[in-house]
Each structure stands twice: as C-alpha cells, then as structure tokens.
Amino acid sequence: MNNHSYRDRPKNLDLRTIRLPINALVSIMHRLSGCVLFLLIPIILFVLSQTLKSENDFDNLKIILASPKLKIIYFVLLWPFFHHFYAGIRHLAMDIHIASSLVKAIYTGRVVLALGFVSTLIVIVLL
C-alpha cells in the first residue's frame, strides 16, 4: 500500500511555466474561438438586420463598416473563425479515427495553426 497521498504530489501553479502539448493548445484555442464566435452572434445579427431595413440604411452601414478602425477589428476576428473552422474539421476527423495517433495528432495540430494563420493573411491581403 502506498503511503503517499495526493497532497504530497508536486504542484505547479505558475501558469507561465506550464508547457502544454500542441494538441492541448489547439483544443483550448478551438474552444476559445468558439466562445468568441458565439459572443459575436448578436452583433452579426444586428448588422444583418440593418442591411435588410432599407437601401439607405444599407448604404449608411457600408460607410460605417468601411472605417479603418473597424477593418482592423475584422482582421483580428478572422483568425478565430478560421481556427475554429479548421480545428473543427480536425476534431471531426479524429472522432472517426482519422489521424488519431499521437504523431498524426501533433502534425494535424500544426497544420490547423498554420492554415488558420495563412487563411487570415490571405483574406487580409485580398481585402
């Protein structure tokens, strides 16, 4: 019988020194990006409703949304969208046991991070 209890285990409570594996990092970022996107739903619905009111309201909204400050916000919000999209595909693939080995999971985690970054850059360059 082991005389050690869970209280005797070493604990690291300094979050700055914890190094998460890439799989955990991608999974946590997937959840965070999903929360960000969920919280944006009311704003997106409001903007959509404004576009449907009248042609004049639509033109006014286009002018407001074309401001440089708002474009920066759009670009910042692109990354959560792309990350959540690619990480969701990765999670679905892992649910059906595609790329579920550790080596493949690490590789697909890196691919998700790269695709999210590259997709965001492509949209920024094109707009």
Side-chain angles (χ1 to χ4, degrees), residues 22-92:
I22 193 164
N23 297 336
L25 201 59
V26 169
S27 181
I28 290 168
M29 289 191 309
H30 178 71
R31 292 170 190 215
L32 289 174
S33 63
C35 289
V36 168
L37 295 172
F38 176 76
L39 293 174
L40 286 174
I41 289 173
I43 296 169
I44 293 168
L45 289 176
F46 172 75
V47 170
L48 180 62
S49 72
Q50 295 303 307
T51 64
L52 299 174
K53 277 187 175 180
S54 71
E55 189 175 342
N56 189 34
D57 287 337
F58 178 75
D59 292 336
N60 290 337
L61 190 63
K62 279 190 346 187
I63 293 168
I64 293 169
L65 295 178
S67 76
K69 289 179 184 175
L70 281 178
K71 282 191 176 187
I72 292 170
I73 293 172
Y74 305 149
F75 295 148
V76 169
L77 294 175
L78 279 173
W79 181 84
F81 171 77
F82 284 121
H83 178 79
H84 195 76
F85 177 75
Y86 293 126
I89 292 171
R90 176 180 179 257
H91 282 294
L92 288 173

Side-chain angles (χ1 to χ4, degrees), residues 88-106:
I89 292 171
R90 176 180 179 257
H91 282 294
L92 288 173
M94 292 175 83
D95 284 345
I96 58 173
H97 305 290
I98 297 174
S100 58
S101 72
L102 182 59
V103 173
K104 290 178 183 178
I106 290 170

